[in-house]
């Protein structure tokens, strides 16, 4: 007995042709003019994003940068922020979470003969995140503020200077021998073939 066809939602005759985000100002007051905003998309490559962002902060001397993403790009946005914080260090952070409206345009794949293609516009509210990173101090009382992260356990601020210190040379072989053997060895003629056995534990 043949299985009955599954009822479809009616969207099988439509295909998504365009997606756009509703424009909205950044949720950070008093941003300097020309601050760089990294708009992270679902298909964005993290390597490309970080190459551009690091160049802005290191080569061009930007003091602040904003990462933003919505929907499925939220996780990738957070990943980019964590990479930059680990690479640069000492960055103040403010995180704002909100909802954003996406506009999806769907086009009818099989229009009726003699009729114009029918389009549908779908409004979707999706979670959005905006993260401000700043070399300069920010207001610690504002919602979403995070101070610079402390150094990791293995990162001693004095370790860099200690790396240049030379390790003292190992002690001479005579210093490792018991005093009795040193005296006996000093009085023995060269090439006499006399052997001194070391106590257990001394090699």
């Amino acid at each position: 007995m043949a299985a009955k066809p599954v009822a479809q939602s009616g969207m099988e005759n439509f295909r998504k042709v365009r997606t756009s985000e509703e424009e909205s100002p950044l949720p950070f007051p008093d941003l300097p003019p020309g601050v760089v905003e990294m708009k992270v998309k679902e298909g964005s490559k993290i390597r490309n994003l970080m190459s551009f962002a690091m160049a802005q902060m290191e080569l061009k001397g930007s003091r602040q940068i904003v990462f933003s993403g919505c929907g499925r790009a939220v996780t990738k946005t957070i990943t980019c922020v964590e990479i930059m914080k680990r690479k640069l260090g000492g960055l103040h952070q403010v995180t704002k979470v909100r909802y954003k409206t996406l506009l999806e345009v769907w086009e009818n794949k099989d229009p009726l003969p003699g009729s114009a293609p029918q389009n549908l516009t779908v409004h979707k509210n999706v979670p959005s995140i905006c993260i401000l990173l700043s070399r300069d101090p920010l207001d610690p009382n504002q919602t979403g503020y995070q101070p610079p992260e402390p150094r990791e356990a293995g990162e001693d601020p004095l370790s860099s200077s200690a790396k240049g210190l030379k390790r003292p040379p190992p002690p001479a072989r005579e210093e490792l021998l018991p005093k009795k053997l040193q005296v006996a060895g000093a009085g023995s003629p060269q090439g006499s073939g006399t052997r001194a056995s070391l106590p257990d534990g001394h090699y």
Side-chain angles (χ1 to χ4, degrees), residues 92-171:
H92 299 260
Q93 175 179 339
V94 175
T95 303
K96 301 292 184 182
V97 179
R98 55 182 180 173
Y99 278 90
K100 204 168 190 178
T101 301
L102 294 182
L103 304 179
E104 295 181 349
V105 178
W106 295 72
E107 182 182 67
N108 191 351
K109 296 186 295 184
D110 300 315
L112 296 175
S115 62
Q118 182 183 5
N119 291 342
L120 294 178
T121 301
V122 179
H123 296 253
K124 294 176 62 176
N125 288 329
V126 296
S128 173
I129 191 169
C130 291
I131 302 177
L132 169 64
L133 296 178
S134 175
R135 293 183 183 271
D136 303 319
L138 301 172
D139 182 7
N141 297 320
Q142 61 180 315
T143 305
Y145 172 79
Q146 296 182 33
E149 295 181 354
R151 290 179 178 268
E152 296 182 359
E155 294 182 0
D156 186 356
L158 299 179
S159 61
S160 58
S161 59
K163 289 180 181 179
L165 298 179
K166 294 184 178 180
R167 182 175 299 178

Side-chain angles (χ1 to χ4, degrees), residues 76-89:
K76 189 173 293 186
T77 304
I78 297 174
T79 300
C80 291
V81 169
E82 293 302 320
I83 292 175
M84 175 159 283
K85 289 166 59 178
R86 188 165 59 248
K87 285 182 174 293
L88 296 182

